Amino acid sequence: MEAMKQYIEDAEKALLHTYNRYQIVLDRGEGVYLYDIEGKKYLDFASGIAVFALGYHNEAYNEALKMQIDKLIHTSNYYYNVPAVEAAKKLKKVSGMDRVFFTNSGAEAVEGAIKAARKYAYLKDGRTDHEIIAMEHSFHGRTMGALSVTGNPKYREAFEPMIGNIKFAQMNNFDSVKELVTEKTCAILFETVQGEGGIYPAEKKFMEQIKALCEERDILLILDEIQCGMGRTGTMYAWQRYGVKPDIMTTAKALGCGIPVGAFLMTEYVAKRSLTSGDHGTTYGGNPLAAAAVNKVLDLFEENHIIENVNAVAPYLEEQLDLLAETCNFIEGRRGTGLMQGLVCKGAVGEVINKALDNGLILISAGTNVIRLVPPLVITKKNVDEMIGILKKCLQA
Ligand SMILES: *Cc1c(COP(=O)(O)O)cnc(C)c1O
């Protein structure tokens, strides 16, 4: 206990105070379990915020990274490298998109998507005052462009002015979007399933109406799949279930399973009419190490039938969460899809999450009132039972 306290004290003196961290120091992981530096074991239903889809200490993944480290870690994008070519080809195949730009984070993928949309519109009409419609309750990252399209005024206020010409509509309210469209609108942007904002899945009808509107007005549809993508909702990308294909999409989080990497992808049609040489760049993006991670992650998704596991376990998770919601007064209900679930509560959930941590269960929130469940995609029904057992105990207390 003393050692852990000391590290936390040191951290509070050395790190910028931008997070209210949970009071544990994590040390190592094994499958769906994490251990702190004192050896205490935690069942992990957060996976480092929907990142470690494959579970911790995956031998094949670790080996692939070690091999790439010994070979070549970085080259810059002035040259080609084999892992990036292979990763881009695989990503095209699983997404059905045509062109890939690798980034180092989710926010950076969103930045690229915004630039691509603006350039597309600029080439069309030469205007420099294009507008983007984003959604309330959305989250797209903390850099200035991504923050500008994030629908939470609390995150934005102190950092105004934002990039400008951003309008906010309501998710699943088509009229609220349509009302905002003008001849300057270049893109409509949203998360197929909103994550940080409280786990709000898009409705199929909304997706279809938006797609039709975009086609009619030559507006680009940008879907942010950073959290809901990579198999989490039972298809590689959540939009694939709806049959509504975006013009541009973003991916990150589980894409590298812990190695920082993201990407924005687009159709050939948009690629031919937007960013061109000199328009965008990154020193690290898609470097051999990051690309080796993407390669191995995509291989393991197939070899280990990750998406099949999501589809096998998710209905059970939903059933158990619904049962819990029925028997617990504090829970209002459940929202979500696949292994991206939220328990909507009647009050702030911080205390429950801390109690769960004491009892060896890692959970996170989405907004103040929602317990967010985004476990590694390799969980079993037994893990679900274990989670429910601990959570039940914490809710009763
Ligand atoms: C996490 C997240 C981001 C930002 O990703 P970072 O890697 O933290 O920059 C953007 N969009 C969504 C939907 C996210 O969940």
Side-chain angles (χ1 to χ4, degrees):
M1 203 63 202
E2 277 314 303
M4 196 131 97
K5 250 170 107 179
Q6 189 59 54
Y7 280 120
I8 291 172
E9 246 180 69
D10 289 353
E12 289 308 322
K13 280 184 203 144
L15 295 168
L16 198 65
H17 289 179
T18 51
Y19 294 101
N20 286 319
R21 289 183 166 87
Y22 296 107
Q23 299 296 297
I24 55 171
V25 183
L26 291 171
D27 185 43
R28 64 188 182 88
E30 194 65 53
V32 296
Y33 295 96
L34 284 166
Y35 296 82
D36 68 21
I37 56 169
E38 280 156 7
K40 182 172 166 180
K41 185 178 178 182
Y42 302 85
L43 173 62
D44 179 24
F45 261 66
S47 39
I49 321 185
V51 168
F52 238 107
L54 297 169
Y56 301 97
H57 195 186
N58 182 301
E59 299 271 359
Y61 170 80
N62 289 3
E63 270 320 305
L65 290 183
K66 286 175 198 168
M67 265 169 53
Q68 191 58 49
I69 284 172
D70 287 336
K71 210 170 174 189
L72 185 64
I73 293 175
H74 179 77
T75 57
S76 91
N77 282 306
Y78 287 169
Y79 316 98
Y80 299 97
N81 75 76
V82 174
V85 181
E86 287 180 345
K89 275 162 59 182
K90 285 176 197 167
L91 204 47
K92 276 179 59 170
K93 188 165 158 235
V94 296
S95 68
M97 304 297 286
D98 302 314
R99 300 255 167 198
V100 183
F101 184 102
F102 286 112
T103 65
N104 309 286
S105 68
E108 204 189 324
V110 173
E111 298 287 336
I114 292 172
K115 278 180 73 176
R118 281 187 167 183
K119 180 76 190 285
Y120 174 90
Y122 171 78
L123 288 177
K124 232 174 29 177
D125 61 19
R127 297 180 78 125
T128 53
D129 58 353
H130 291 110
E131 296 169 347
I132 294 173
I133 299 173
M135 301 296 147
E136 288 170 11
H137 300 295
S138 66
F139 182 85
H140 298 290
R142 302 296 198 141
T143 55
M144 289 309 295
L147 188 60
S148 300
V149 290
T150 288
N152 183 340
K154 207 177 69 196
Y155 288 168
R156 296 194 310 260
E157 186 176 291
F159 310 101
E160 297 279 355
M162 294 288 115
I163 64 168
N165 291 15
I166 309 294
K167 293 170 166 179
F168 290 97
Q170 284 147 27
M171 186 85 161
N172 293 328
N173 178 346
F174 177 67
D175 288 339
S176 78
V177 179
K178 203 174 163 193
E179 256 164 36
L180 298 178
V181 171
T182 72
E183 75 283 0
K184 297 193 280 185
T185 308
C186 71
I188 297 173
L189 157 69
F190 59 96
E191 302 153 81
T192 318
V193 182
Q194 289 187 327
E196 308 288 324
I199 317 288
Y200 292 95
E203 285 161 13
K204 186 166 163 59
K205 179 150 182 249
F206 178 73
M207 296 277 285
E208 288 167 352
Q209 286 173 315
I210 295 279
K211 180 72 185 176
L213 175 69
C214 285
E215 277 177 357
E216 186 194 315
R217 304 288 299 257
D218 196 13
I219 294 166
L220 298 182
L221 173 59
I222 307 175
L223 292 179
D224 182 344
E225 290 260 347
I226 289 168
Q227 188 161 161
C228 61
M230 294 300 293
R232 183 155 293 280
T233 69
T235 47
M236 185 52 99
Y237 288 102
W239 60 261
Q240 289 166 333
R241 169 189 308 276
Y242 300 79
V244 171
K245 189 176 173 177
D247 301 293
I248 302 174
M249 63 161 271
T250 57
T251 180
K253 288 202 162 88
L255 178 64
C257 273
I259 293 291
V261 60
F264 62 97
L265 293 87
M266 58 187 80
T267 61
E268 188 66 21
Y269 184 86
V270 174
K272 279 213 179 86
R273 293 164 180 79
S274 62
L275 301 177
T276 182
S277 78
D279 275 343
H280 199 56
T282 160
T283 300
Y284 288 137
N287 86 8
L289 181 63
V294 175
N295 264 314
K296 201 62 193 179
V297 168
L298 291 175
D299 287 349
L300 289 172
F301 260 69
E302 213 175 291
E303 284 165 29
N304 297 349
H305 309 291
I306 297 294
I307 293 176
E308 288 85 338
N309 188 62
V310 172
N311 288 315
V313 177
Y316 185 70
L317 174 64
E318 290 186 347
E319 182 191 299
Q320 293 303 309
L321 290 174
D322 287 341
L323 273 175
L324 185 68
E326 265 170 41
T327 55
C328 174
N329 275 335
F330 184 60
I331 303 175
E332 243 170 46
R334 175 184 65 80
R335 269 200 304 261
T337 164
L339 294 184
M340 183 171 183
Q341 298 288 339
L343 282 173
V344 185
C345 297
K346 287 185 179 140
V349 298
E351 211 179 309
V352 178
I353 290 176
N354 277 317
K355 228 171 243 159
L357 214 51
D358 288 344
N359 287 282
L361 170 65
I362 293 184
L363 295 170
I364 49 178
S365 62
T368 37
N369 286 4
V370 178
I371 298 172
R372 175 168 32 159
L373 301 119
V374 284
L377 304 186
V378 294
I379 59 156
T380 60
K381 290 180 186 173
K382 237 179 106 192
N383 297 141
V384 172
D385 290 339
E386 191 185 351
M387 179 277 290
I388 294 281
I390 300 175
L391 185 53
K392 207 183 249 170
K393 201 169 104 186
C394 298
L395 285 162
Q396 276 160 358

